[in-house]
Amino acid sequence: DGGGFFSCFVSPEGELLTCGDDHAGLLEVDGAERPSGLLGQGGGEPQVWVPTPVKPLQGACVHAVACGEQHTLALTAAGAVYSFGGGRRGALGHGGTSDVLSPRRIDGLASVRAASVAAGAYHSLVVSRDGGLFTFGADEHGQLGRGEDAGGGRPDGSSAGSGAARRLTPARVALAGGLAGGKVASAAGGRSHSLAVLRGGRLLAFGCGEAGRLGLGDQRDRTTPSSVPLGEAVAMAAAGGAHSLATTAGGRVYAFGDGRQGQLGVEPPGHATAMSATGHRCCVLPAWVEALAAISPRAVACGGDFSLVVAHDGSLYSFGANSFGQLGLGCAPD
């Protein structure tokens, strides 16, 4: 997986390796750049040019990794969750906003056996083996799915949309109404929105609704998980900067949200479009990506404004912004 200026890899043997810029995007302290821990290497080197083992996790058998803009979550085979990097907005889940230079186990998840991890720009999501969803970090649009308290504020007293809303430690998301009792199978984090797939295939969305990235038919924020009207059982989902992808058990790929760079892979039908706050057309309901009808999708991923789909035969399809060659097509952008 990759963050703003760094990359993380998990070897077949369960070793975590990182490389990239350990000082990226951070302020100077006393005239010198300070390490942020983006690489989990202890802050010794400002840049690491080749994938290098993260020594504190050697022997832990890392099963999966998820990267945000400046933070990383690492999941071990035993179900323990570690985090390191930039602590902005509480994205690390350690109870504060300080950076962490080396992997540290999240105490608030000590009693939880995790099944998967996901990261948004500055928020984090953890799915437990019993189907629970735990979230922490930035929450200005409701992307943690925790809802409003009785006073209309957030767990730390700040209000939605204030830019300061956050949750510093993990908390379980309560599914209410018709979703009560639902078990989460997987989750995905975008820039300021989140997706979750329930066992059985229902897709949930919450957080920032701008440009229709939640697929709920409008552009309103949601502070609690809401069911996306897709009509098919969802197998997996991915969240980008302002768009989302979902694959179904029947082998279809759906897209919704901001499509200005072609990241949806489809021209949505009229009934599914609306005008965004920035004056462009967006897709507010899931639209079938018909160009991928002949493939059987195995995995999907979203960058900020581009998309990737892997077929079961190993073929890779890419679409969206290509200003830096991120689509891997071997050609300059138009």
Side-chain angles (χ1 to χ4, degrees):
D1 201 359
F5 295 90
F6 64 99
S7 300
C8 296
F9 311 87
V10 178
S11 74
E13 297 75 31
E15 184 173 46
L16 177 63
L17 305 96
T18 61
C19 59
D21 190 342
D22 201 38
H23 292 218
L26 296 169
L27 298 176
E28 292 187 352
V29 177
D30 297 327
E33 288 184 320
R34 61 181 175 88
S36 64
L38 300 187
L39 306 182
Q41 305 281 357
E45 296 291 335
Q47 286 89 30
V48 175
W49 297 95
V50 296
T52 302
V54 177
K55 292 181 179 179
L57 285 178
Q58 286 184 318
C61 192
V62 175
H63 176 68
V65 66
C67 301
E69 184 68 23
Q70 294 182 351
H71 75 289
T72 297
L73 304 176
L75 169 66
T76 71
V81 182
Y82 293 77
S83 65
F84 55 91
R88 181 180 178 185
R89 314 297 299 281
L92 300 180
H94 296 303
T97 58
S98 298
D99 297 344
V100 174
L101 303 185
S102 298
R104 180 189 302 170
R105 186 168 182 178
I106 300 176
D107 292 339
L109 295 171
S111 62
V112 175
R113 295 187 69 195
S116 64
V117 291
Y122 298 101
H123 71 287
S124 303
L125 305 98
V126 176
V127 177
S128 64
R129 295 184 183 180
D130 66 358
L133 176 63
F134 296 79
T135 60
F136 46 98
D139 196 27
E140 69 273 23
H141 293 282
Q143 60 263 50
L144 300 187
R146 298 281 299 159
E148 308 281 359
D149 65 17
R154 294 291 174 196
D156 69 344
S158 58
S159 62
S162 69
R166 61 191 182 185
R167 174 87 194 187
L168 302 181
T169 56
R172 187 164 182 150
V173 176
L175 299 181
L179 302 176
K183 303 293 185 181
V184 176
S186 63
R191 181 179 298 140
S192 54
H193 74 293
S194 301
L195 304 173
V197 179
L198 296 185
R199 297 175 186 175
R202 181 177 291 190
L203 178 62
L204 309 181
F206 44 103
C208 181
E210 184 182 355
R213 70 191 77 178
L214 300 183
L216 298 173
D218 55 41
Q219 299 183 65
R220 295 190 295 112
D221 291 1
R222 300 296 199 283
T223 60
T224 56
S226 299
S227 183
V228 178
L230 206 151
E232 297 183 48
V234 171
M236 67 185 71
H243 75 291
S244 304
L245 296 179
T247 68
T248 69
R252 285 188 168 190
V253 178
Y254 286 85
F256 43 97
D258 186 356
R260 283 178 293 173
Q261 300 293 328
Q263 62 265 51
L264 301 185
V266 63
E267 185 66 35
H271 75 275
T273 64
M275 191 68 70
S276 75
T278 55
H280 66 275
R281 304 294 296 180
C282 58
C283 184
V284 297
L285 289 169
W288 176 36
V289 185
E290 194 170 359
L292 296 175
I295 76 164
S296 178
R298 185 174 69 188
V300 291
C302 295
D305 49 11
F306 66 98
S307 302
L308 303 170
V309 178
V310 179
H312 269 285
D313 66 2
S315 301
L316 174 64
Y317 296 81
S318 61
F319 42 100
N322 193 36
S323 53
F324 298 97
Q326 57 265 56
L327 300 185
L329 301 176
C331 59
D334 294 333

